[in-house]
Amino acid sequence: MIPVASRIRGFTYAIRNIVAEARKVEASGVRVRYLNIGDPIPFGFHTPPHMVEAVARAVRDGHNGYAPSVGIPAAREAVTTECVNRGMPMTADRVVITSGTSEGIELALTALAEPGDEVLVPTPTYPLYTAVLAKIGARPVFYRTDPAHGWQPDVQHLRSLVSRRTKALVVIDPNNPTGATYPADTRKALLEIADTNNLPLLADEVYADLAFDGPVAAIASHNPDAPVITFSSLSKAYLAPGWRSGWLAVGTSDRLDDVLAGIKKLADGRLCSTGPMEHALVAALNGDRSHQATFRTALRQRAVLTHERLNAIEGITSVMPSAAFYAMPKVALPAGVADEDYVLALLRETGVLCVYGSGFGADPADGFFRVVFLANPAELSEIYDLIAGFTHDFLARRGR
Ligand SMILES: Cc1ncc(COP(=O)(O)O)c(C=O)c1O
């Protein structure tokens, strides 16, 4: 057998890893309901037609060569305007067009952390952060976010974790997997920690337009002098995840100038993001966004249904999300049972596929699991019936 590099062991991404198990269940004849991945397209939401037309036009007009590695000027300008409109001062030379938020995250972490360095990451977290850190050989240090306080970050705990080896602070707001948005005071406290410790705050703002009450301002708007790098994409609020089109923008603090140069150097090595989609990015950011209001309304309706139905199940508690399409309920598991045991049994017995909380860095004994609530309300209702019946039996069997 040809050996693979040891870093592969640490690179785990439960959201997709769990699909192998679902395929086996499907092969046995059970209908699987895929609530594992945050992709609105399979659930009947559509990419806005003017964006589709912009890609088609770009391809037809011959924009099929390599783009500049930082992105085409019009896309960088559109992102600059977007940042400024959200309250984050920006200039186009500090913007890099990326293959989704994911590539922005990878570029920034690679530019910032040496093997053995530490990066502050929320728990639960979006798992790409820990996966990329495993690849680099750097270490995630988890700060708590607390379901008893609407999944807000525990700022005291976070402060106590800063060390000489800390190289960055990751903030996901609005949050996946919890669906939380952070109030201004919390955001200011996070910025203050980054600012006073000279730590880049990596602001994952991919759900900023999907807060149910309307778009949220950039976190950097609360303190434009703090060292903030923001990330986003067309994947969620513009309903085009398969296009792999996104951006990062490095805050105007001159403390970030070397990091910006490092990111651009890395970006040169991968040539460019997908060229025709950069034209669609311009059409998206400069064009009609009315689809977002409709999408937010649909999401709020599903969030309320999810909240009511899950909390009605004995043994399950769930915090009301305020953004995106995720909820992170907790099932009161008996001692010795892990979240993965519950989720796999749910899959095998009902075909409902969720992701166990430990896939997001939660303690397996805490019984968290993530639900993606993009399905239509009638189907969600059926799914919650299945979860209710299963949970009742599972907890009775396991002697709770
Ligand atoms: C918090 C968060 N960041 C980044 C991503 C990756 O998004 P993209 O498709 O833009 O790479 C996701 C996708 O689910 C996400 O939830």
Side-chain angles (χ1 to χ4, degrees):
M1 195 63 86
I2 296 171
V4 296
S6 61
R7 70 176 70 89
I8 296 299
R9 265 199 305 280
F11 194 94
T12 56
Y13 191 84
I15 297 169
R16 293 236 171 182
N17 298 157
I18 197 173
V19 172
E21 205 49 45
R23 297 276 185 243
K24 285 189 213 157
V25 171
E26 223 160 29
S28 74
V30 176
R31 174 182 172 202
V32 172
R33 325 247 195 165
Y34 287 91
L35 305 192
N36 61 315
I37 192 156
D39 181 351
I41 302 300
F43 296 98
F45 295 97
H46 298 293
T47 314
H50 66 282
M51 289 171 53
V52 174
E53 181 48 37
V55 173
R57 199 178 326 113
V59 172
R60 277 198 308 268
D61 289 352
H63 295 294
N64 299 307
Y66 290 126
S69 51
V70 287
I72 59 172
R76 298 176 84 198
E77 285 297 342
V79 171
T80 304
T81 306
E82 175 71 5
C83 290
V84 171
N85 288 346
R86 289 180 182 281
M88 180 179 192
M90 190 48 58
T91 53
D93 62 316
R94 303 182 79 83
V95 172
V96 178
I97 307 301
T98 57
S99 295
T101 314
S102 304
E103 191 188 40
I105 292 165
E106 176 139 18
L107 290 171
L109 288 175
T110 307
L112 283 166
E114 306 275 2
D117 281 344
E118 298 173 355
V119 172
L120 295 162
V121 173
T123 178
T125 183
Y126 178 62
L128 182 65
Y129 291 96
T130 41
V132 170
L133 290 173
K135 199 158 94 176
I136 295 170
R139 209 164 69 80
V141 174
F142 291 110
Y143 63 92
R144 282 190 297 266
T145 65
D146 185 0
H149 294 99
W151 286 114
Q152 298 304 306
D154 181 339
V155 174
Q156 283 310 105
H157 182 234
L158 168 54
R159 225 184 278 281
S160 75
L161 298 173
V162 177
S163 81
R164 280 206 335 275
R165 300 234 65 162
T166 311
K167 288 296 158 68
L169 163 59
V170 173
V171 176
I172 308 170
D173 176 17
N175 191 273
N176 175 12
T178 65
T181 48
Y182 300 163
D185 282 356
T186 306
R187 295 175 128 210
K188 285 180 193 161
L190 295 169
L191 287 159
E192 189 262 327
I193 293 171
D195 199 17
T196 54
N197 293 288
N198 210 29
L199 291 175
L201 188 154
L202 306 185
D204 187 327
E205 306 194 292
V206 71
Y207 298 104
D209 286 323
L210 298 183
F212 307 148
D213 288 339
V216 295
I219 192 168
S221 67
H222 300 281
N223 179 353
D225 296 328
V228 176
I229 305 177
T230 181
F231 309 86
S232 193
S233 77
L234 300 186
S235 296
K236 311 294 179 178
Y238 294 91
L239 300 161
W243 289 6
R244 313 307 305 127
S245 188
W247 61 88
L248 67 78
V250 177
T252 49
S253 163
D254 55 14
R255 286 182 276 175
L256 288 168
D257 286 356
D258 285 351
V259 178
L260 172 62
I263 288 172
K264 286 181 176 173
K265 212 166 157 181
L266 291 169
D268 279 346
R270 77 7 162 176
L271 299 176
C272 63
S273 82
T274 46
M277 281 67 179
E278 295 195 12
H279 294 266
L281 198 154
V282 178
L285 294 185
N286 294 347
D288 177 18
R289 300 186 184 194
S290 56
H291 71 277
Q292 290 184 346
T294 317
F295 192 28
R296 282 191 295 266
T297 304
L299 293 178
R300 187 199 292 274
Q301 184 194 14
R302 287 157 172 77
V304 169
L305 174 75
T306 299
H307 185 66
E308 286 171 358
R309 292 296 312 272
L310 289 176
N311 281 297
I313 301 171
E314 206 186 319
I316 291 187
T317 48
S318 191
V319 177
M320 176 68 191
S322 50
F325 25 77
Y326 309 106
M328 190 76 164
K330 175 183 169 79
V331 54
L333 295 174
V337 180
D339 53 8
E340 193 172 346
D341 300 329
Y342 170 84
V343 163
L344 288 178
L346 174 69
L347 168 67
R348 288 176 189 138
E349 291 177 35
T350 67
V352 174
L353 177 64
C354 298
V355 183
Y356 38 91
S358 48
F360 303 93
D363 184 331
D366 284 349
F368 287 107
F369 62 104
R370 189 190 73 168
V371 174
V372 172
F373 53 74
L374 284 163
N376 67 58
E379 184 172 4
L380 279 178
S381 196
E382 276 172 43
I383 288 166
Y384 298 138
D385 285 343
L386 290 169
I387 294 179
F390 165 80
T391 303
H392 178 268
D393 294 351
F394 182 87
L395 294 180
R397 264 196 326 260
R398 297 297 183 116
R400 197 179 146 257

